Amino acid sequence: MARTVGFFTDTTLCIGCKACEVACKEWNELPGHAPKFLDGFDNTGRLDDQNWRHVQFLERTTPTGSVAWSMMSDVCKHCSLASCMEVCPTNAIIRTEFDTVYIQPDVCNGCRDCIAACPYDVIGFNEKTGLAQKCTFCYGRLQNNLMPACAKACPTESIKFGDLSEMRTVATTRLKQLQAQGVATAQLYGEKEYGGLHALFLLTDKPEAYKLPSTDNAVLPSRNNMRSYLGSLATAVLGLVGAVIAFRQRGGEG
Amino acid sequence: MPQHFVAPPQWEWYIVWYFFLGGLAGGAYLIGTLLRLLGDPRDEGAARLAFLVAFPAMAICPLLLTLDLGHPLRFWHMMVNSRTWALNFKYWSPMSVGAWALLGFGLFATLSFIEALVRDGRLGHPIARGIAAVMGGALGRVFMVVGALLGLFVAGYTGVLLSVSNQPIWSDTWALGGLFLASGLSVGAATLAILARTRADAFATEGKLTRADRIFIVLELLLLVAFFATLGALAGRLFAPRWIVLWLLVAIGTLVPLAMSRAPGAGRRGSPVLAGWLVLLGGLALRIVVIFGAQM
């Protein structure tokens, strides 16, 4: 049944248990990489072909001078205006009946243009399959009226799943609640960026702290088409004029 | 400049060589066309040489691109949607446009190659002779112009392809398409200048090729300035210690040939050949540093 779905990840509720990572790998049969021992309890490092959920542990200094962790379960944003989908030359990346962004594994030829385009460092290249891979929003589960595995497993309901409009309402209500409690830094991410994301986040710091481009920086690759082609065209004209000058002159030596 | 958190696409040596050979092929084809259309009859040998060079350089390109794919046997997915069997063409995706442009340029480069072989007396098949006959007329001139425009596109779109991304450096400048195009023209002219001494009937054009290359090098230097100016402080990333040798090669491959062409006795004692090799080395170094430098 077609519907427009979304995630709402409330980072204030995330306890860094990584149940979402485990559930994602179990359901999607992702073997994962060998663990990396990084800052905090992060041993996955980033989103890629094996990590479709990644719990960030971001150390920061609070206004009172103490050190605190911000934890956020990161995921593909399933952008309404998706950079990956824009550049994909094979049309392997499609928008599903759930308004999510899905890489068709039988169509992708592993050119990796989508990886260069994704501004959220979401897509990874699988050396074994030769494919670009990322979160599918548990496409198979959605088709069977099941919620994505990560949201199902999250014990604190930091990851919520539902219709996108409902997620927006829940997110706005939670934002107001936090602001009423005096959390002045609370803000929603994903309402405006890339035409509206299908993964909303409630943050307590600026987006860049969570490795999310700000609203102003959320721009598409196609912004460079016109100016780059014009630069090439101007060069071509100058090159042609130069060649005509060189070849019209008589004589062997320059 | 937009701040993104993007992963590198791991475009490495296959892409470096594709960008280099695509530029060389496109540049050589354009030069061949202009020599035939604008030059005097003594330039015909060099024009044929250009078409003989453009084809093999171009022919390697699809092989490199195919080998770079995660699924090489799905190379045709660039053109045809394997689910719907509809043609894939996205004018806003330089990779999509480039795949078609390379196919088109391949057709023109192949036919011009056949024509050059026939005119050289090295191919006598009736079909090949028919192609050469058609190419010798007004239709052939139109054909060459279209092929040269496609060659220009192939030489330059590679820079646009890098820019139409969210990758730092690549997407922060408008100058990469022009830079690779100017470099491609220069590399094409340099290759022909090197090879002009291998054909008696092309040697007379060596001076013109050197002169054209000098202009292309100046254009390339202007684009390099634009490239750095548009990047601002971000350009510093490309000057990490590991890239310094490559930038030195870029400098040697542009400034030294320029200086050599102005030195007394230029054109003698093999200096155009040496200058040509330096240009090739510089052109390759430029692509290595731009492709790898932004991804590390």
Side-chain angles (χ1 to χ4, degrees):
Chain A
M1 186 181 71
R3 55 192 281 224
T4 299
V5 298
F7 283 127
F8 167 49
T9 302
D10 183 346
T11 65
T12 64
L13 297 180
C14 181
I15 56 172
C17 69
K18 294 190 270 194
C20 52
E21 287 193 20
V22 175
C24 175
K25 285 193 174 66
E26 285 290 328
W27 182 261
N28 293 296
E29 298 181 323
L30 298 168
H33 303 299
K36 299 170 193 166
F37 295 97
L38 304 162
D39 281 351
F41 292 109
D42 188 354
N43 61 359
T44 43
R46 53 185 279 210
L47 294 169
D48 59 21
D49 62 303
Q50 297 294 315
N51 299 307
W52 297 356
R53 273 276 178 188
H54 168 232
V55 179
Q56 297 181 7
F57 290 77
L58 306 164
E59 197 172 278
R60 64 190 171 99
T61 307
T62 65
T64 57
S66 58
V67 176
W69 269 339
S70 293
M71 287 165 282
M72 181 185 89
S73 179
D74 198 8
V75 69
C76 174
K77 317 303 178 289
H78 297 270
C79 314
S80 293
L81 298 171
S83 300
C84 57
M85 205 171 153
E86 185 177 67
V87 300
C88 176
T90 62
N91 283 317
I93 304 182
I94 58 163
R95 194 162 294 285
T96 71
E97 65 270 36
F98 303 103
D99 217 19
T100 58
V101 177
Y102 178 69
I103 303 177
Q104 302 173 98
D106 58 324
V107 182
C108 173
N109 66 6
C111 73
R112 310 188 294 288
D113 209 3
C114 54
I115 297 175
C118 175
Y120 294 108
D121 188 7
V122 163
I123 308 174
F125 178 67
N126 186 318
E127 298 283 351
K128 285 184 185 162
T129 61
L131 301 174
Q133 291 182 183
K134 71 167 190 74
C135 161
T136 63
F137 222 115
C138 281
Y139 190 27
R141 289 177 66 92
L142 292 185
Q143 287 171 319
N144 288 284
N145 286 321
L146 296 170
M147 69 163 67
C150 54
K152 180 82 176 171
C154 180
T156 63
E157 295 188 13
S158 168
I159 302 171
K160 295 177 179 65
F161 165 79
D163 288 341
L164 183 60
S165 57
E166 179 198 345
M167 290 298 100
R168 285 188 179 135
T169 305
V170 171
T172 307
T173 305
R174 175 64 175 158
L175 176 66
K176 285 179 183 165
Q177 184 185 35
L178 283 172
Q179 286 171 336
Q181 289 171 1
V183 186
T185 54
Q187 57 183 291
L188 273 184
Y189 183 85
E191 288 186 301
K192 297 175 190 161
E193 295 75 16
Y194 293 106
L197 307 181
H198 287 247
L200 305 169
F201 295 87
L202 195 150
L203 312 176
T204 55
D205 204 339
K206 58 182 194 259
E208 290 89 337
Y210 298 87
K211 299 181 182 171
L212 301 168
S214 65
T215 308
D216 289 342
N217 286 331
V219 286
L220 288 161
S222 59
R223 72 189 182 281
N224 284 332
N225 258 317
M226 183 63 84
R227 61 180 193 156
S228 295
Y229 278 127
L230 282 177
S232 305
L233 182 65
T235 307
V237 170
L238 290 172
L240 278 171
V241 170
V244 169
I245 291 168
F247 295 157
R248 282 274 190 193
Q249 287 175 18
R250 302 195 71 82
E253 303 303 324
Chain B
M1 286 174 193
Q3 183 188 17
H4 292 126
F5 300 89
V6 63
Q10 296 167 267
W11 289 337
E12 299 180 352
W13 288 105
Y14 289 130
I15 300 303
V16 167
W17 283 104
Y18 164 56
F19 282 17
F20 180 76
L21 291 172
L24 193 162
Y29 194 98
L30 174 83
I31 291 165
T33 302
L34 291 178
L35 282 173
R36 196 170 269 175
L37 296 180
L38 305 173
D40 58 43
R42 289 183 304 159
D43 296 323
E44 174 56 24
R48 280 185 217 166
L49 177 66
F51 297 130
L52 292 174
V53 164
F55 172 74
M58 178 286 303
I60 299 169
C61 292
L63 294 176
L64 292 168
L65 288 175
T66 300
L67 288 171
D68 184 68
L69 294 174
H71 260 283
L73 292 178
R74 294 183 182 175
F75 67 93
W76 58 276
H77 289 200
M78 291 288 183
M79 270 84 176
V80 179
N81 188 314
S82 62
R83 285 227 172 182
T84 64
W85 299 104
L87 291 180
N88 280 331
F89 180 75
K90 294 165 80 170
Y91 67 84
W92 59 92
S93 168
M95 191 177 279
S96 177
V97 181
W100 286 103
L102 190 59
L103 183 72
F105 179 56
L107 173 74
F108 286 82
T110 304
L111 293 179
S112 292
F113 177 72
I114 291 169
E115 185 228 4
L117 286 178
V118 171
R119 288 207 193 188
D120 270 358
R122 287 191 271 178
L123 193 62
H125 192 280
I127 295 175
R129 290 169 66 166
I131 290 169
V134 173
M135 298 282 283
L139 194 61
R141 284 194 285 278
V142 173
F143 182 92
M144 279 191 303
V145 168
V146 176
L149 291 175
L150 281 169
L152 272 173
F153 186 88
V154 168
Y157 94 92
T158 49
V160 180
L161 166 67
L162 296 185
S163 289
V164 179
S165 69
N166 276 320
Q167 203 72 207
I169 296 176
W170 294 348
S171 65
D172 294 318
T173 178
W174 51 262
L176 265 181
L179 179 59
F180 283 178
L181 175 55
S183 172
L185 291 172
S186 172
V187 163
T191 306
L192 298 178
I194 292 168
L195 295 174
R197 297 195 175 197
T198 64
R199 281 178 70 117
D201 61 351
F203 184 63
T205 312
E206 187 189 61
K208 285 184 180 178
L209 292 169
T210 307
R211 204 156 48 214
D213 200 15
R214 192 195 305 161
I215 295 169
F216 297 148
I217 290 172
V218 170
L219 194 54
E220 184 182 345
L221 287 171
L222 289 174
L223 265 301
L224 262 179
V225 171
F227 177 58
F228 292 134
T230 47
L231 289 181
L234 203 57
R237 264 184 62 179
L238 292 177
F239 284 94
R242 71 173 77 175
W243 308 123
I244 296 298
V245 172
L246 288 166
W247 282 119
L248 279 175
L249 289 176
V250 173
I252 291 169
T254 48
L255 300 176
V256 174
L258 269 186
M260 285 172 76
S261 66
R262 292 194 165 277
R268 300 186 191 93
R269 298 191 304 275
S271 64
V273 175
L274 175 63
W277 280 110
L278 293 177
V279 167
L280 296 191
L281 205 58
L284 186 60
L286 174 69
R287 285 157 180 79
I288 294 172
V289 74
V290 169
I291 291 171
F292 282 95
Q295 295 185 83
M296 288 186 179

